[in-house]
Short mmCIF file of all heavy atoms in Angstrom, two decimals:
data_model
loop_
_atom_site.label_atom_id
_atom_site.label_comp_id
_atom_site.label_asym_id
_atom_site.label_seq_id
_atom_site.Cartn_x
_atom_site.Cartn_y
_atom_site.Cartn_z
N CYS V 236 -16.47 5.90 14.45
CA CYS V 236 -17.36 5.12 15.34
C CYS V 236 -18.10 6.06 16.28
O CYS V 236 -17.48 6.91 16.93
CB CYS V 236 -16.59 4.07 16.07
SG CYS V 236 -17.49 3.26 17.42
N ASP V 237 -19.44 5.94 16.31
CA ASP V 237 -20.18 6.88 17.22
C ASP V 237 -19.88 6.63 18.64
O ASP V 237 -20.37 7.39 19.55
CB ASP V 237 -21.71 6.83 16.87
CG ASP V 237 -22.06 7.49 15.62
OD1 ASP V 237 -21.43 8.58 15.32
OD2 ASP V 237 -22.85 7.04 14.79
N TYR V 238 -19.28 5.51 18.96
CA TYR V 238 -19.02 5.27 20.39
C TYR V 238 -17.57 5.65 20.75
O TYR V 238 -17.28 6.45 21.58
CB TYR V 238 -19.33 3.80 20.82
CG TYR V 238 -19.06 3.62 22.28
CD1 TYR V 238 -19.91 4.22 23.20
CD2 TYR V 238 -17.98 2.89 22.74
CE1 TYR V 238 -19.72 4.08 24.56
CE2 TYR V 238 -17.74 2.69 24.10
CZ TYR V 238 -18.60 3.33 25.00
OH TYR V 238 -18.38 3.24 26.33
N CYS V 239 -16.58 4.97 20.05
CA CYS V 239 -15.16 5.16 20.44
C CYS V 239 -14.43 6.16 19.60
O CYS V 239 -13.29 6.59 19.94
CB CYS V 239 -14.38 3.84 20.44
SG CYS V 239 -14.04 3.30 18.80
N GLY V 240 -15.02 6.62 18.49
CA GLY V 240 -14.38 7.63 17.66
C GLY V 240 -13.36 7.11 16.66
O GLY V 240 -12.78 7.96 15.89
N LYS V 241 -13.10 5.86 16.63
CA LYS V 241 -12.09 5.26 15.66
C LYS V 241 -12.57 5.52 14.26
O LYS V 241 -13.72 5.44 13.97
CB LYS V 241 -11.98 3.81 16.01
CG LYS V 241 -10.64 3.21 15.45
CD LYS V 241 -10.33 1.84 16.15
CE LYS V 241 -11.20 0.78 15.47
NZ LYS V 241 -10.98 -0.54 16.12
N ASP V 242 -11.61 5.76 13.35
CA ASP V 242 -12.00 5.98 11.94
C ASP V 242 -12.25 4.65 11.25
O ASP V 242 -11.35 3.74 11.24
CB ASP V 242 -10.90 6.74 11.19
CG ASP V 242 -11.26 6.87 9.70
OD1 ASP V 242 -12.43 6.94 9.36
OD2 ASP V 242 -10.28 6.86 8.86
N LEU V 243 -13.44 4.41 10.77
CA LEU V 243 -13.84 3.17 10.22
C LEU V 243 -13.49 2.98 8.71
O LEU V 243 -13.68 1.93 8.17
CB LEU V 243 -15.37 2.95 10.44
CG LEU V 243 -15.83 3.03 11.84
CD1 LEU V 243 -17.32 3.00 11.96
CD2 LEU V 243 -15.25 1.92 12.70
N LEU V 244 -12.93 4.02 8.12
CA LEU V 244 -12.52 3.95 6.78
C LEU V 244 -11.03 3.39 6.68
O LEU V 244 -10.69 2.85 5.64
CB LEU V 244 -12.67 5.25 6.04
CG LEU V 244 -14.03 5.85 5.93
CD1 LEU V 244 -14.05 7.14 5.15
CD2 LEU V 244 -15.04 4.89 5.30
N THR V 245 -10.29 3.63 7.68
CA THR V 245 -8.93 3.17 7.70
C THR V 245 -8.68 1.94 8.46
O THR V 245 -7.64 1.27 8.35
CB THR V 245 -7.97 4.27 8.17
OG1 THR V 245 -8.49 4.82 9.37
CG2 THR V 245 -7.73 5.34 7.11
N THR V 246 -9.67 1.56 9.37
CA THR V 246 -9.55 0.29 10.11
C THR V 246 -10.68 -0.61 9.64
O THR V 246 -11.80 -0.08 9.37
CB THR V 246 -9.65 0.50 11.65
OG1 THR V 246 -10.77 1.33 11.85
CG2 THR V 246 -8.42 1.12 12.18
N LYS V 247 -10.47 -1.87 9.53
CA LYS V 247 -11.46 -2.81 9.06
C LYS V 247 -12.54 -3.05 10.13
O LYS V 247 -12.25 -2.82 11.31
CB LYS V 247 -10.79 -4.15 8.69
CG LYS V 247 -9.83 -3.97 7.59
CD LYS V 247 -10.43 -4.58 6.28
CE LYS V 247 -9.64 -4.11 5.04
NZ LYS V 247 -10.41 -3.58 3.98
N GLY V 248 -13.66 -3.60 9.77
CA GLY V 248 -14.62 -4.02 10.72
C GLY V 248 -15.64 -3.05 11.20
O GLY V 248 -16.21 -3.12 12.26
N GLY V 249 -15.89 -1.99 10.38
CA GLY V 249 -16.91 -0.99 10.71
C GLY V 249 -18.28 -1.36 10.14
O GLY V 249 -18.31 -1.98 9.06
N ILE V 250 -19.36 -0.94 10.76
CA ILE V 250 -20.69 -1.15 10.17
C ILE V 250 -21.53 0.13 10.30
O ILE V 250 -21.15 1.00 11.09
CB ILE V 250 -21.43 -2.31 10.86
CG1 ILE V 250 -21.52 -2.05 12.40
CG2 ILE V 250 -20.86 -3.66 10.55
CD1 ILE V 250 -22.41 -3.11 13.13
N PHE V 251 -22.60 0.24 9.50
CA PHE V 251 -23.56 1.31 9.72
C PHE V 251 -24.87 0.59 9.98
O PHE V 251 -25.20 -0.42 9.37
CB PHE V 251 -23.63 2.35 8.67
CG PHE V 251 -24.07 1.87 7.28
CD1 PHE V 251 -25.38 2.11 6.93
CD2 PHE V 251 -23.21 1.27 6.43
CE1 PHE V 251 -25.84 1.70 5.62
CE2 PHE V 251 -23.58 0.94 5.17
CZ PHE V 251 -24.92 1.15 4.78
N VAL V 252 -25.56 1.10 10.98
CA VAL V 252 -26.82 0.45 11.42
C VAL V 252 -27.99 1.40 11.24
O VAL V 252 -27.92 2.54 11.67
CB VAL V 252 -26.71 0.05 12.98
CG1 VAL V 252 -27.95 -0.67 13.41
CG2 VAL V 252 -25.47 -0.87 13.14
N VAL V 253 -29.05 0.91 10.59
CA VAL V 253 -30.26 1.68 10.38
C VAL V 253 -31.23 1.52 11.51
O VAL V 253 -31.50 0.36 11.93
CB VAL V 253 -30.89 1.33 9.03
CG1 VAL V 253 -32.19 2.06 8.83
CG2 VAL V 253 -29.88 1.65 7.91
N LEU V 254 -31.75 2.55 12.13
CA LEU V 254 -32.69 2.47 13.24
C LEU V 254 -34.11 2.87 12.88
O LEU V 254 -34.27 3.87 12.23
CB LEU V 254 -32.20 3.35 14.38
CG LEU V 254 -30.75 2.98 14.92
CD1 LEU V 254 -30.19 4.12 15.66
CD2 LEU V 254 -30.83 1.79 15.81
#
Side-chain angles (χ1 to χ4, degrees):
C236 167
D237 284 321
Y238 183 70
C239 75
K241 200 164 79 182
D242 178 31
L243 302 173
L244 298 182
T245 45
T246 48
K247 297 255 164 227
I250 52 171
F251 65 99
V252 180
V253 173
L254 299 161

